[in-house]
């Protein structure tokens, strides 16, 4: 079953849905950095030090991300092979959206963003916690947890904020097609489909725009002060 | 109407093909696209040139023989029609029209615009039927009640003429809409349910063997399908396939 085209698209849809769930959780915690920095610090410390999150959820998440990317590349290569001679004239826009036809482009931008994101947050976090052995999550200067200050500090850079905004626009485009189409891939098409598709489209806009808002909020806050 | 036709010419499956330009004059808006090609071929033949080879048969949108990628779309710019039903009034005087064969690794070019679509036949042969002994003990079709909605949906799926526009339109050259229509027309009916699990497994296996691409739900197939076969059929096939796989 695993080698069939339908099984592969099912796996692609399931891993995508899992990542969509993760995005919602990530966004919820990040939003607290704007409305309640203390809550953000507490949640960040919990997520960064809780055994279940670190030893179980994090590896599952990494597997989900890597699987989704590798499967995406494999499918793209197979699909390109399925049309060995291309058209001289191909009017893709006549029958399908740009988002649906260019998932590999939006996906690659998101992959590039993830590399930047890991360099920004994940690698320093691993360094502090496991190389330096500081699991306290406290600022060196004292005065509580370090997470909020680190986040705010990252968004001081114009270039980083621009890169983040571009990546989130592409994320919105990726989700615009991907989230709604995952229901079709798992075989879900009934009277609830319309409602679910609408929800997926709203989600595809709200979450990335929310992330953009958070990045801009911290950046503008920095410019003002 | 004066037109410039840019047509893919290829001597045979092994030869390297290319686009050639042909000016054509005197085309009427009431002509069908295939009649326009007939005019071109008569001119080519009278000059002693090789006529352009293209598939056609019924010329009334039923058989699924005619194909052609016209200006980047299967069956041209109009909707819910086959190439033989495409009128030249869809084009303007002075237009350049690019005409190519349906492109897919699973649809190799035989000559010029004619492609080998027997991959569809092999998918159909893998399970697109019901095993009923009809010699001497034919059962009255109305003896088994079928509810109206299922009958309608099954009939809609059965209107697929297997032309291959879905494959030609899909950026992945996927044959999911064709296979899904053939799976659905039986899966919805009591007569077809008996072999539903083996049917979907075998037909999908054959579809993959033929080298068609994977579906990425762009929906291009549904838009370009001359019979308006719905994407719902693909969701149904996915369901049928997943449940058949889980049952083993």
């Amino acid at each position: 079953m695993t080698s069939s085209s339908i099984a592969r698209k099912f796996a692609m849809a399931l891993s995508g849905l899992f990542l969509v769930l993760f995005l919602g959780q990530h966004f919820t915690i990040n939003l607290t950095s704007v409305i309640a920095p203390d809550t953000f610090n507490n949640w960040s410390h919990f997520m960064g030090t809780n055994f279940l999150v670190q030893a179980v959820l994090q590896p599952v998440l990494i597997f989900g991300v890597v699987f989704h990317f590798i499967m995406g590349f494999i499918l793209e290569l197979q699909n390109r092979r399925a049309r060995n001679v291309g058209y001289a004239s191909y009017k893709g826009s006549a029958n399908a959206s740009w988002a649906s036809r260019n998932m590999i482009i939006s996906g690659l931008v998101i992959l590039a963003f993830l590399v930047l994101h890991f360099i920004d947050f994940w690698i320093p976090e691993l360094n502090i916690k496991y190389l330096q052995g500081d699991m306290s999550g406290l600022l060196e200067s004292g005065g509580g947890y370090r997470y909020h200050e680190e986040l705010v500090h990252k968004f001081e850079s114009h270039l980083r904020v621009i890169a983040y905004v571009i990546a989130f626009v592409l994320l919105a485009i990726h989700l615009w097609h991907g989230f709604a189409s995952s229901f079709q891939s798992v075989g879900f098409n009934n009277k609830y489909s319309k409602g679910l598709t609408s929800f997926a489209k709203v989600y595809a806009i709200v979450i990335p725009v929310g992330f953009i808002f958070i990045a801009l909020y911290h950046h503008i806050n920095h410019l003002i002060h | 109407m004066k037109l410039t036709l840019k047509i893919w010419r290829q001597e045979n499956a092994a030869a390297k093909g290319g686009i050639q330009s042909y000016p054509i004059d005197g085309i009427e808006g009431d002509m069908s696209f295939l009649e326009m090609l007939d005019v071109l071929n008569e001119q080519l033949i009278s000059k002693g040139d090789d006529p352009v080879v293209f598939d056609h048969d019924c010329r009334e949108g039923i058989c699924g023989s005619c194909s052609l990628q016209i200006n980047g779309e299967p069956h041209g710019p109009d909707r819910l029609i086959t190439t033989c039903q495409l009128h030249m009034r869809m084009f303007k005087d002075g237009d350049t029209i690019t005409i190519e064969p349906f492109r897919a690794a699973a649809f190799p070019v035989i000559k010029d615009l004619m492609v080998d679509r027997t991959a569809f036949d092999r998918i159909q042969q893998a399970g697109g039927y019901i095993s009923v002994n009809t010699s001497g003990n034919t059962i009255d079709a109305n003896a088994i009640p079928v509810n109206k909605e299922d009958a309608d949906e099954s009939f809609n799926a059965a209107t697929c003429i297997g032309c291959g526009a879905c494959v030609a339109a899909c950026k992945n050259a996927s044959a999911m809409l064709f296979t899904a229509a053939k799976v659905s027309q039986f899966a919805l009916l009591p007569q077809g349910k008996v072999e539903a699990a083996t049917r979907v497994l075998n037909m999908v296996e054959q579809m993959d063997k033929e080298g068609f691409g994977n579906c990425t739900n762009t929906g291009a197939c549904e838009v370009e399908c001359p019979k308006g076969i719905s994407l719902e059929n693909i969701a149904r096939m996915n369901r049928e396939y997943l449940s058949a796989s889980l049952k083993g």
Side-chain angles (χ1 to χ4, degrees):
Chain A
M1 179 194 169
T2 46
S3 61
S4 92
S5 55
I6 295 184
R8 282 192 293 260
K9 73 185 249 176
F10 183 71
M12 204 59 192
L14 276 193
S15 55
L17 283 171
F18 170 70
L19 297 177
V20 161
L21 263 181
F22 162 73
L23 266 183
Q25 172 262 318
H26 195 336
F27 172 70
T28 310
I29 292 180
N30 279 25
L31 190 62
T32 61
S33 74
V34 172
I35 49 181
D38 286 342
T39 312
F40 176 77
N41 271 329
N42 291 334
W43 271 106
S44 299
H45 189 66
F46 171 78
M47 298 298 278
T49 52
N50 181 273
F51 177 76
L52 193 71
V53 174
Q54 290 291 303
V56 181
L57 294 182
Q58 188 159 274
V60 171
L61 174 65
I62 292 169
F63 175 77
V65 171
V66 172
F67 179 86
H68 196 73
F69 275 113
I70 291 178
M71 193 55 122
F73 291 133
I74 292 173
L75 289 172
E76 179 69 20
L77 287 175
Q78 282 181 337
N79 294 341
R80 279 170 189 253
R81 262 206 306 272
R83 178 163 290 132
N84 48 355
V85 181
Y87 288 111
S89 160
Y90 180 71
K91 209 168 162 192
S93 58
N95 46 43
S97 67
W98 191 92
S100 72
R101 287 180 287 122
N102 294 285
M103 292 296 273
I104 190 73
I105 294 177
S106 50
L108 280 171
V109 173
I110 296 165
L111 180 62
F113 164 78
L114 274 184
V115 171
L116 172 69
H117 196 54
F118 275 19
I119 293 169
D120 274 355
F121 291 98
W122 207 52
I123 293 173
E125 195 64 24
L126 289 180
N127 180 34
I128 293 171
K129 284 196 302 201
Y130 301 110
L131 291 180
Q132 297 175 18
D134 179 9
M135 301 295 282
S136 70
L138 296 172
L139 286 163
E140 275 180 19
S141 56
Y145 285 131
R146 59 186 163 83
Y147 308 105
H148 188 261
E149 194 172 302
E150 284 172 357
L151 176 87
V152 169
H153 177 67
K154 291 286 178 205
F155 288 122
E156 286 172 5
S157 152
H158 297 309
L159 283 179
R160 186 178 281 109
V161 171
I162 290 168
Y164 272 52
V165 169
I166 292 170
F168 287 131
V169 170
L170 270 295
L171 175 68
I173 292 170
H174 199 77
L175 290 179
W176 182 260
H177 174 68
F179 192 4
S181 105
S182 60
F183 302 124
Q184 166 85 1
S185 291
V186 299
F188 192 84
N189 196 324
N190 53 36
K191 62 178 175 175
Y192 304 109
S193 297
K194 252 193 175 159
L196 259 182
T197 302
S198 305
F199 168 74
K201 301 271 183 200
V202 170
Y203 191 95
I205 298 297
V206 167
I207 299 289
V209 167
F211 275 118
I212 290 173
F213 164 74
I214 294 167
L216 289 180
Y217 173 85
H218 290 302
H219 188 65
I220 292 166
N221 219 11
H222 164 71
L223 293 178
I224 293 169
H225 294 106
Chain B
M1 202 187 299
K2 256 188 186 173
L3 299 164
T4 305
L5 305 176
K6 288 187 154 188
I7 302 178
W8 181 266
R9 301 302 306 263
Q10 184 173 340
E11 190 50 39
N12 53 52
K16 196 173 159 16
I19 300 269
Q20 283 187 29
S21 278
Y22 300 92
I24 192 165
D25 199 356
I27 299 302
E28 301 288 329
D30 293 341
M31 285 180 178
S32 80
F33 200 84
L34 296 188
E35 283 166 344
M36 182 274 294
L37 287 178
D38 290 340
V39 171
L40 173 73
N41 276 346
E42 279 170 13
Q43 290 175 5
L44 290 175
I45 291 165
S46 67
K47 279 196 288 182
D49 289 342
D50 228 10
V52 177
V53 173
F54 59 91
D55 265 317
H56 62 103
D57 191 17
C58 76
R59 297 206 177 200
E60 52 183 317
I62 297 169
C63 72
S65 282
C66 59
S67 49
L68 306 186
Q69 186 84 353
I70 302 161
N71 282 346
E73 285 186 81
H75 299 299
D78 212 351
R79 293 286 175 256
L80 295 171
I81 53 142
T82 52
T83 297
C84 61
Q85 296 169 298
L86 176 66
H87 282 103
M88 292 312 294
R89 68 179 75 99
M90 290 296 292
F91 302 92
K92 293 192 305 289
D93 186 42
D95 273 1
T96 297
I97 307 174
T98 307
I99 312 166
E100 295 175 84
F102 281 180
R103 295 282 189 204
F107 287 170
V109 171
I110 297 170
K111 187 172 180 178
D112 295 338
L113 302 171
M114 182 189 266
V115 297
D116 179 357
R117 284 172 282 179
T118 50
F120 271 12
D121 297 342
R122 290 187 290 274
I123 294 173
Q124 187 77 359
Q125 285 156 7
Y129 52 80
I130 54 168
S131 306
V132 181
N133 181 2
T134 52
S135 53
N137 56 349
T138 315
I139 300 160
D140 179 4
N142 293 323
I144 304 168
V146 180
N147 82 46
K148 180 79 168 80
E149 287 79 14
D150 288 346
D152 284 351
E153 272 192 63
S154 171
F155 192 80
N156 285 341
T159 58
C160 166
I161 51 175
C163 65
C166 45
V167 174
C170 177
K171 77 174 190 67
N172 311 320
S174 168
M176 287 283 278
L177 192 67
F178 165 77
T179 312
K182 300 302 173 195
V183 163
S184 286
Q185 74 181 68
F186 294 112
L188 286 156
L189 301 178
Q191 294 91 333
K193 284 205 167 85
V194 183
E195 296 164 295
T198 50
R199 174 182 305 113
V200 69
L201 293 175
N202 291 340
M203 289 181 80
V204 169
E205 189 188 344
Q206 189 62 38
M207 174 183 83
D208 290 343
K209 259 192 214 160
E210 297 292 346
F212 291 107
N214 303 283
C215 171
T216 50
N217 303 321
T218 66
C221 52
E222 184 185 52
V223 174
E224 298 292 353
C225 175
K227 298 296 156 186
I229 303 290
S230 162
L231 279 183
E232 280 176 34
N233 291 297
I234 296 184
R236 181 179 297 107
M237 176 163 77
N238 292 343
R239 264 200 313 278
E240 290 274 327
Y241 184 85
L242 294 167
S243 73
S245 301
L246 292 174
K247 278 181 203 156

